[in-house]
């Protein structure tokens, strides 16, 4: 009776799982096709840029997760005759299938995390810097330099650029004076000020109110200041308690990243003719991100560097 029940269960499992393989794959393919269709229907390069920067990696990850699930399900349809011999083989196949599915998903996640960003970055640069077209006469527009564009940005926009939270591109048709301003995320993160509405609310200083110990959390007071309207905003943050390293017995601490005594990280870039460009950052992570994204090739092409 038990053997008959197992064989009946195995036959139904085989049938249902085989169907699910195509269902899951179909969901993954439709999910990505819907994204590609949405991308293709966007009318401007800016709209395509915003969609790709926000959604593309997520959609690819979702698609690979669906493939991993489908791979797990497909492996559970193999060696059907062997499964009939003993129920133990069913659980062995289940375990091996799970390992294969998880392995595929893990490798896909690593590729999307470490390799794909460079591919996406090239795509985004192409979308951002492809010459815009004046809708009034069909002529190509010129992208203004950082110095030239200031004449077309108001004080709030310039304040956003000064704290690296936002980067504006100004395109102009020199024959008619028609201009188009596009907004992009900058190198550093800044919050939107609830008073003036610009993305210029930046961390000004941190003060430890209560030190964290091995067993108890501490408390950190963060003070933010808007560089445009001088709005001051304070926020209390919990400091996670420190953990001892079992091998050395020493408290783990990364002073460059977390030490509140460090108020600013400064980077100076010196040109061949003695010119200096200075950049201030709130912590080492922001400085590191800035260096990773900074266009040194463009800087070398400038006459002064």
């Amino acid at each position: 009776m038990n053997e008959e029940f197992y064989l009946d269960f195995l036959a139904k499992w085989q049938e249902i799982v085989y169907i699910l393989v195509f269902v899951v794959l179909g969901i993954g393919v439709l999910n990505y096709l819907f994204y590609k269709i949405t991308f293709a229907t966007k009318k401007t390069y800016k709209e395509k840029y915003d969609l790709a920067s926000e959604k593309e990696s997520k959609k690819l990850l979702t698609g690979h997760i669906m493939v991993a699930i489908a791979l797990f399900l497909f492996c559970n349809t193999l060696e059907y005759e062997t499964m009939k011999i003993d129920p133990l083989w069913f659980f062995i196949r289940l375990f091996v299938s799970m390992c294969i599915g998880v392995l595929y998903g893990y490798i896909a996640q690593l590729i999307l995390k470490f390799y794909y960003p460079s591919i996406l970055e090239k795509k985004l640069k192409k979308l951002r810097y492809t010459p815009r077209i004046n809708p009034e006469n069909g002529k190509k527009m010129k992208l203004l330099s950082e110095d030239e564009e200031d004449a077309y940005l108001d004080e709030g926009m310039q304040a956003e650029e000064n704290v690296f939270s936002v980067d504006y591109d100004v395109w102009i048709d020199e024959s008619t004076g028609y201009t188009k301003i596009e907004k992009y995320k900058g190198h550093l993160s800044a919050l939107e000020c609830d008073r003036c509405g610009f993305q210029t609310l930046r961390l000004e200083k941190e003060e430890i109110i209560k030190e964290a110990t091995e067993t108890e959390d501490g408390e950190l007071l963060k003070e933010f200041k808007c560089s445009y309207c001088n709005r001051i905003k304070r926020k209390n943050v919990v400091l996670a308690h420190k953990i001892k390293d079992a091998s050395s017995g020493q408290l783990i601490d990364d002073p460059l990243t977390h030490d509140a005594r460090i108020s600013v990280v400064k980077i100076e870039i010196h040109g061949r003719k003695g010119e200096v460009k200075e950049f201030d950052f709130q912590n080492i992570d922001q400085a590191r991100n800035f260096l990773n994204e900074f266009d040194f090739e463009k800087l070398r092409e400038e006459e002064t560097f």
Side-chain angles (χ1 to χ4, degrees):
M1 183 66 179
N2 288 335
E3 183 179 351
E4 184 180 344
F5 173 80
Y6 170 68
L7 293 176
D8 184 52
F9 163 78
L10 190 62
K12 290 181 178 178
W13 170 276
Q14 192 83 0
E15 182 181 347
I16 293 173
V17 169
Y18 192 74
I19 294 173
L20 285 177
V21 170
F22 294 97
V23 171
V24 172
L25 277 178
I27 293 173
V29 171
L30 288 175
N31 176 70
Y32 188 67
L33 280 178
F34 178 76
Y35 164 75
K36 296 296 288 185
I37 292 171
T38 304
F39 181 85
T41 55
K42 295 297 182 182
K43 296 181 179 179
T44 67
Y45 288 114
K46 179 63 169 65
E47 290 176 329
K48 292 177 184 289
Y49 180 99
D50 290 340
L51 180 65
S53 61
E54 183 181 352
K55 299 286 187 181
E56 185 154 312
S57 293
K58 295 177 182 177
K59 292 296 182 180
L60 282 172
L61 179 59
T62 301
H64 281 294
I65 289 175
M66 292 297 105
V67 173
I69 295 173
L71 188 60
F72 161 75
L73 293 170
F74 176 73
C75 290
N76 273 284
T77 64
L78 302 177
E79 297 295 332
Y80 178 64
E81 294 300 323
T82 304
M83 298 304 110
K84 292 180 179 180
I85 299 174
D86 194 317
L88 179 62
W89 284 108
F90 175 82
F91 293 102
I92 293 174
R93 184 180 67 175
L94 193 67
F95 175 75
V96 172
S97 300
M98 185 179 297
C99 291
I100 293 173
V102 170
L103 181 62
Y104 175 89
Y106 179 69
I107 293 174
Q109 187 264 342
L110 288 178
I111 292 174
L112 290 174
K113 183 177 181 179
F114 296 107
Y115 174 71
Y116 189 72
S118 61
I119 297 176
L120 180 60
E121 185 64 25
K122 291 179 182 178
K123 180 178 181 179
L124 293 177
K125 280 186 176 181
K126 184 177 181 181
L127 290 171
R128 180 170 177 176
Y129 297 117
T130 297
R132 304 308 192 237
I133 303 298
N134 184 346
E136 297 177 354
N137 56 23
K139 289 185 177 181
K140 288 185 179 181
M141 302 173 70
K142 174 190 174 183
L143 177 63
L144 298 183
S145 66
E146 291 291 332
D147 294 332
E148 293 172 328
E149 71 184 17
D150 286 345
Y152 298 88
L153 303 178
D154 60 34
E155 291 182 359
M157 292 176 175
Q158 292 182 42
E160 288 179 310
E161 284 207 322
N162 289 338
V163 297
F164 301 102
S165 64
V166 171
D167 193 15
Y168 287 97
D169 284 353
V170 180
W171 295 86
I172 185 169
D173 183 346
E174 294 179 301
S175 63
T176 64
Y178 175 85
T179 58
K180 184 176 184 180
I181 300 176
E182 296 178 348
K183 182 178 181 180
Y184 296 90
K185 290 183 179 179
H187 296 298
L188 304 182
S189 59
L191 303 175
E192 182 178 314
C193 179
D194 52 1
R195 177 184 292 171
C196 66
F198 290 109
Q199 201 169 326
T200 47
L201 193 64
R202 189 171 124 181
L203 182 64
E204 189 76 8
K205 67 178 182 179
E206 295 178 331
E207 180 184 350
I208 297 178
I209 300 175
K210 179 184 175 184
E211 288 280 358
T213 66
E214 289 183 64
T215 56
E216 293 185 2
D217 291 338
E219 188 175 358
L220 175 70
L221 176 64
K222 290 189 173 186
E223 184 175 292
F224 299 84
K225 184 177 180 180
C226 177
S227 60
Y228 179 65
C229 69
N230 294 323
R231 163 94 158 97
I232 302 291
K233 193 171 184 178
R234 295 179 178 87
K235 180 181 180 182
N236 289 342
V237 179
V238 174
L239 281 176
H241 62 272
K242 298 179 179 180
I243 303 173
K244 271 194 175 183
D245 189 300
S247 60
S248 64
Q250 299 295 318
L251 291 174
I252 300 173
D253 194 14
D254 183 355
L256 287 177
T257 306
H258 304 292
D259 198 327
R261 293 171 295 180
I262 296 179
S263 59
V264 66
V265 177
K266 184 182 291 291
I267 291 178
E268 292 185 358
I269 301 177
H270 295 259
R272 291 191 299 266
K273 298 181 180 180
E275 292 78 5
V276 178
K277 288 184 180 289
E278 295 184 356
F279 303 91
D280 293 339
F281 303 91
Q282 300 167 34
N283 55 54
I284 194 68
D285 288 335
Q286 291 180 347
R288 211 178 270 128
N289 291 336
F290 171 78
L291 289 174
N292 288 337
E293 298 178 18
F294 192 79
D295 192 347
F296 287 98
E297 199 64 39
K298 181 180 178 181
L299 189 65
R300 280 195 288 268
E301 293 174 0
E302 297 181 6
E303 292 183 1
T304 56
F305 274 77

